[in-house]
Amino acid sequence: MRVGIGYDVHKLVEDRTMIIGGVTIPHVKGLLGHSDADVLIHAIMDSLLGALALGDIGYHFPDTDTNYKNISSLYLLEKVSSLIADNGYEIGNIDSTIIAQKPKLAPYIYDMRRNISEALNINIDMIGVKATTEEGLGFTGKEEGIAAQSICLLNSIISK
């Protein structure tokens, strides 16, 4: 059994589409990043990679590589899923939290969970996604950015 934790943050800017959990969310601003800047998927990937001590998403998908410019983070999550299997593990569960003052994310949570389950080829019941505000405090509360945290449990599939 291995446990990993991930954290990511992206700045909110004008003239960018907001994509969180693979869902396009209508909002006046979007998240700035080299890829699609999906803060939730990035936190999940880092928790999965961290559980196996495989580095972080920047190591596997560097922002200096033009192949990853504006790429779907769900596609990258599929690649991380392959790394997990290649290392002899399977996902036990994932729990994550999105920290954003606005927009309200509750209407999109189920679709986020479905997208993640499809990318990882696991049951949707193994994925927790929650959203919270910081009551106007900090950079997320002032609507300067959005953050996400994730924790995961991986189980060995190799007999010992």
Side-chain angles (χ1 to χ4, degrees):
M1 174 183 348
R2 305 285 294 259
V3 176
I5 189 167
Y7 175 82
D8 196 40
V9 61
H10 284 275
K11 182 178 181 176
L12 281 165
V13 296
E14 294 181 4
D15 299 320
R16 279 282 290 199
T17 301
M18 180 178 289
I19 300 171
I20 302 177
V23 177
T24 300
I25 299 170
H27 193 55
V28 295
K29 292 184 178 180
L31 296 170
L32 181 63
H34 184 70
S35 67
D36 63 5
D38 190 326
V39 67
L40 174 61
I41 302 299
H42 292 181
I44 289 171
M45 287 191 292
D46 270 348
S47 70
L48 295 167
L49 292 166
L52 295 177
L54 294 176
D56 61 18
I57 60 173
Y59 174 78
H60 292 274
F61 315 110
D63 63 5
T64 55
D65 188 332
T66 57
N67 291 318
Y68 302 121
K69 181 72 175 161
N70 296 319
I71 197 165
S72 167
S73 293
L74 287 173
Y75 173 78
L76 301 179
L77 184 59
E78 291 173 6
K79 298 297 181 193
V80 170
S81 180
S82 294
L83 283 172
I84 294 166
D86 291 347
N87 280 273
Y89 283 82
E90 65 183 4
I91 297 169
N93 75 302
I94 296 169
D95 188 29
S96 56
T97 303
I98 308 159
I99 303 129
Q101 194 65 36
K102 289 183 184 171
K104 295 296 183 189
L105 298 172
Y108 307 102
I109 298 290
Y110 180 82
D111 290 336
M112 292 177 191
R113 292 176 62 222
R114 187 190 69 236
N115 289 341
I116 296 162
S117 74
E118 289 173 359
L120 294 171
N121 197 30
I122 61 174
N123 191 300
I124 194 169
D125 293 337
M126 299 165 74
I127 302 160
V129 175
K130 304 171 300 297
T132 190
T133 70
E134 289 191 307
E135 304 297 329
L137 300 173
F139 73 90
T140 60
K142 294 175 185 168
E143 300 178 51
E144 296 171 356
I146 292 179
Q149 300 174 337
S150 175
I151 189 165
C152 71
L153 172 71
L154 302 181
N155 295 309
S156 176
I157 55 176
I158 299 173
S159 302
K160 295 185 181 186

